[in-house]
Amino acid sequence: MSEAIYFFGSGGHAKVIIDIANRLDKHILGLLDDNQTLWGTQFYRQEVLGGSEFVNTIAKDASFIISIGSNLMRMKFDTLLKNHGHSFATLIHPESTFSPTVTIKEGTVVMAGTVINSDVLIGRHCIINTQASIDHDCIIDNFVHIAPGVTICGSVSVAEGTIIGAGSTIIPGVQIGKNCIIGAGSIILNDIPDNCTVIGNPGKILNRVKNEK
């Protein structure tokens, strides 16, 4: 019997993950979303059952994917669902390529065309988006989003809650801090501290913000 999964979140990102689940022959039990206008409707051929309160009606051992692009929102709903005793699925597109020495933790989704090389560690609830490339010995912490077309060279670390924008390149050995935003197309040549927005080629710190968590 195929794995049964609930989704939390209805949007463009959810559509891509639904397609992956279908390719993997997973059984989607329904979607949850706090947008009340969606309740009782069909989204991408899946029923939207309700919002956060509906979690109380679901069996404690049910498995979820948080199908939301925002790192902060995935953190929020991870806490909600864990507090109700739920577990998390991991979905890896069959047309991705990765070494058998890669570790991918719960809740993470790996999209089509990605390449993940030897001894990479990917944390919980990450998004490794379409055609991203992560080379050897990288550490991608929890709740990170690696956007489409990103190239991460060897021995890079990306800390919790950071988003690496589409088409960016991170050179070998760079360390990127927590809750950063790396703008699309940036080339990162140096370490980046926590809570920074970085843009450009070479990447320059535009501003630093306080941790919102």
Side-chain angles (χ1 to χ4, degrees), residues 183-209:
S186 296
I187 309 297
I188 306 302
L189 306 178
N190 300 297
D191 293 351
I192 306 296
D194 295 346
N195 306 310
C196 288
T197 298
V198 180
I199 59 173
N201 177 12
K204 295 182 178 180
I205 296 174
L206 182 65
N207 57 46
R208 296 187 67 173
V209 297

Side-chain angles (χ1 to χ4, degrees), residues 15 26 36-37 54 69 77 93 102 130 166 185 203 209:
K15 291 180 179 180
K26 306 298 185 183
Q36 295 186 23
T37 64
F54 193 86
F77 290 116
H93 197 287
V102 171
T130 308
V209 297

Side-chain angles (χ1 to χ4, degrees), residues 6 29 37 76 83 86-87 102 106-107 113 132 137 160 162 176:
Y6 289 95
L29 296 169
T37 64
K76 172 184 174 181
N83 287 343
H86 297 304
S87 62
V102 171
E106 66 176 7
D137 298 296
E160 182 178 276
T162 284
I176 299 177

Side-chain angles (χ1 to χ4, degrees), residues 21-127:
N22 288 334
R23 286 285 301 270
L24 296 171
D25 197 30
K26 306 298 185 183
H27 178 45
I28 301 173
L29 296 169
L31 277 60
L32 276 64
D33 197 293
D34 282 338
N35 180 354
Q36 295 186 23
T37 64
L38 297 175
W39 296 357
T41 68
Q42 291 281 315
F43 175 83
Y44 207 55
R45 299 178 293 281
Q46 304 295 328
E47 184 179 1
V48 182
L49 303 171
S52 296
E53 293 301 318
F54 193 86
V55 172
N56 297 320
T57 70
I58 296 174
K60 293 293 185 183
D61 58 351
S63 183
F64 273 84
I65 281 286
I66 305 174
S67 48
I68 299 172
S70 163
N71 294 339
L72 286 174
M73 294 300 288
R74 291 201 308 287
M75 292 180 194
K76 172 184 174 181
F77 290 116
D78 169 64
T79 300
L80 170 71
L81 294 166
K82 282 195 303 186
N83 287 343
H84 284 82
H86 297 304
S87 62
F88 300 96
T90 300
L91 298 180
I92 300 173
H93 197 287
E95 293 177 8
S96 60
T97 301
F98 58 95
S99 165
T101 61
V102 171
T103 299
I104 300 175
K105 295 190 176 180
E106 66 176 7
T108 287
V109 178
V110 178
M111 309 300 194
T114 57
V115 177
I116 308 174
N117 284 328
S118 52
D119 289 326
V120 169
L121 172 61
I122 298 175
R124 303 176 62 250
H125 298 290
C126 292
I127 301 167

